Amino acid sequence: MTVTARPTPPELSFAGGFDPYVVRDDFPILSTTVNGKPLVYLDSASTSQKPNVVIEAVDTFYREYNANVHRGIYTIGERSTAAYERARATVARFINAPDAHEVVFTRNATEAINLVAYSWGRRNVNRGDAVILTEMEHHANLVPWQLLAQERDGDLEFIPITDDGLLRLDVFEVLLRLKPKLVAFTHVSNTLGTINLVAEMTEMAHAAGALVLIDGAQAVPHVPVDVQAIGADFYAFSGHKMLGPTGSGALWARRELLEAMPPFLAGGEMIREVHLRRSDFNDIPWKFEAGTPDIAAAIGFGAAAEYLMTLGMDRVREHERELTAYALDTLASELPWLELYGPMHADLRGGVVPFNVPGVHPHDVAQVLDRYGIAVRAGHHCTMPLHERLDLAATARASFNVYSVREDVDALIEGLREVVKLFGEPVR
Ligand code: PLP
C-alpha cells in the first residue's frame, strides 16, 4: 500500500465519460472471492465498498499522525485537527453547503436525525403540533419522531404512497393545512428507490410555515445534492454509504437553526467554559460534537467526497440510471415470474431494485445467491411500515453503486435461475 500524507484525488484514465470498469480497480474488495466465486456485491444501499483513497486516508492517519483533534499543541495534533476540519470543508463542498461550520459530523444518518429530534424537536414541538413524515421512511426517520411525539404529546401524520411507490403530493397538500412544525422525508427510498421531488416538497412545506428535514442517506452517494438549491433546513446523511468509512455521517443545517439549538450530547469539546454549576457552549459545529470524534472516519469521509467529486456526481447518476434501467428490463424479460416493486422507470428511481421470487422466502433467496458469491439484502430493510403498506412480509434487494456493472445484474439473473432450480419454477 502506498502511503501519502494526504490522499490526492485519483488519476482517472477516462476523460468525459464514466467507466465503471476503471472505477472497479480502485476497490480492492471487488477482486476477492466468496465461496469460491468472485464477489458480486449488490448491497451498497446497506453500506458501500471503499476505494483505495479512503482506505489509505484512514491508514495514513493511524500510521503517521494519530492524535486527538482541537487539543494538542504539538505537530501531529495540529495535523490531525487540520485534516479533520479539511474533511468537513470537503463534505460541505460536496453538498454545496454555504458554510463548512454548518456541517456537524455524526456517526451516521441515524445520529444526525436523532440530533435534530432531540435538540430542535424538544424545543419546538409542543402538545398537538404535527410532524409530517411519509409511509416510505426508513426506521431512522420514523422512530426518533415517534419518541418525540410521545414525549411532547405531538401528532404524526404520513404522506401515503401510490401502489408503484410514489408519494401522494395531493394528500401532502391537504396535510399541510394542519400547519405542521416539521416535514421530514427521505430524498431517495432505500427500499423502492423512488427519488422524491425534494425541492418542490420543501417549497410546499415552507409555504405552510413548516421546517424541512431531508433524509439524504440514499441520495448523496447516487445523485448530485445541492442543499442550497433544495432549500431544506436540515439534511442528514451517512458517509459509509458514499464510499466513506463506517462511523461517518453528517448533519447539515442552516446556521441560525444550529446556533439556536441546545446541545445534543454533553461533555468535552462541546463547551467553551465549564464551572461546577453551569457551562457555556462552543460555537457550531463543535457544540454538537461532544467527546473524541471518529477522526479517522471523518478524514476517510472527506477522501470519499473528494473521490466522488472527481468522478462527477452527474456521471455517477447517469451510470446508475442506465444500470437500473438495464436491471429492470432484463430481470423482467429473463425472469417473467419475478416480482419487482417500486417505480418501473429508471428516471424516477435510484439504483435500488427490490424483488421476490414467488413462493420462496427472501432469506432463502439470499442464502442461495450467497453460494454463488452474490450479496443481496433480504428482510424488511428497516422499512416495516412500507412493507406493511405493500402487503409484503419481506423482500430481497439488489442495490448499486459506482462500481456496479451489467455483469453483476447478469450474475444475479443466473443466481436466481439456481434458486428456482432448487425450489421449483414459480407461477405468477
Ligand atoms: N435513511 C435511509 C433512507 C437509509 O437507507 C438508512 C440506512 O440504510 C438510514 C437512514 C440510516 O443510515 P445509518 O445506518 O447510516 O444511520
Side-chain angles (χ1 to χ4, degrees), residues 86-136:
R86 193 163 51 232
R88 190 192 310 278
T90 307
V91 171
R93 194 155 43 84
F94 182 68
I95 56 165
N96 196 28
D99 176 353
H101 291 169
E102 294 179 344
V103 172
V104 178
F105 279 134
T106 59
R107 280 182 303 139
N108 45 41
T110 303
E111 187 177 305
I113 296 168
N114 274 275
L115 192 165
V116 180
Y118 277 83
S119 173
W120 179 88
R122 275 158 184 73
R123 273 277 168 95
N124 292 284
V125 174
N126 298 308
R127 176 183 289 249
D129 283 345
V131 171
I132 296 183
L133 309 171
T134 83
E135 285 182 342
M136 65 167 71

Side-chain angles (χ1 to χ4, degrees), residues 60-79:
T60 304
F61 168 72
Y62 283 123
R63 283 181 194 280
E64 295 184 11
Y65 62 101
N66 171 46
N68 216 325
V69 289
H70 304 131
R71 287 161 175 81
I73 314 288
Y74 50 83
T75 303
I76 61 169
E78 281 166 3
R79 186 169 164 202

Side-chain angles (χ1 to χ4, degrees), residues 99 101-102 233 252-260 283-284:
D99 176 353
H101 291 169
E102 294 179 344
D233 303 288
W252 169 82
R254 287 194 290 110
R255 170 178 274 279
E256 60 273 28
L257 288 168
L258 287 175
E259 281 176 345
D283 293 330
I284 64 163

